[in-house]
Amino acid sequence: MNPAFFKQPPDCASLWQELRQLAAEHPSVRLFRGGRSACGREIPVLGIGSLKKAVLFAGGVHGQEWLTTLLLTRFARQFAAAWEGSGELADFSFA
């Protein structure tokens, strides 16, 4: 994890770099390209776990709403660690 990533609004290149690093660190994480934005940028999609049952968390939907991007990136890190570890995150168990 790059702590500097979470201290400022991310650009597309730093977001992709952080997500690639997350996928490299956690075997349960898969990184996909979900299409392209109206501006032509590739949209990153993370899959965690078996992907047989899915829940969608969306962030960074509007250009100036960058905080949701950072929040979901941090949540994805915590979720992947819990998925591969104890199977618990906060008071929720998915083991």
Side-chain angles (χ1 to χ4, degrees):
M1 177 174 74
N2 177 8
F5 174 78
F6 294 99
K7 296 187 184 224
Q8 60 190 8
D11 58 25
C12 288
S14 64
L15 174 61
W16 275 97
Q17 181 180 359
E18 182 68 20
L19 296 178
R20 276 192 221 91
Q21 182 180 354
L22 172 61
E25 291 171 4
H26 294 278
S28 66
V29 175
R30 290 189 273 171
L31 179 60
F32 304 93
R33 288 175 171 80
R36 292 193 176 270
S37 71
C39 294
R41 296 185 187 104
E42 290 185 334
I43 300 170
V45 176
L46 287 179
I48 302 175
S50 67
L51 306 182
K52 292 184 186 218
K53 293 183 180 179
V55 176
L56 174 67
F57 296 95
V61 177
H62 301 105
Q64 296 301 313
E65 295 175 0
W66 55 269
L67 187 59
T68 56
T69 302
L70 300 180
L71 227 122
L72 284 176
T73 304
R74 188 169 297 250
F75 174 72
R77 283 196 164 280
Q78 293 173 348
F79 190 89
W83 182 269
E84 294 169 8
S86 67
E88 294 186 9
L89 181 63
D91 290 332
F92 180 75
S93 177
F94 46 85

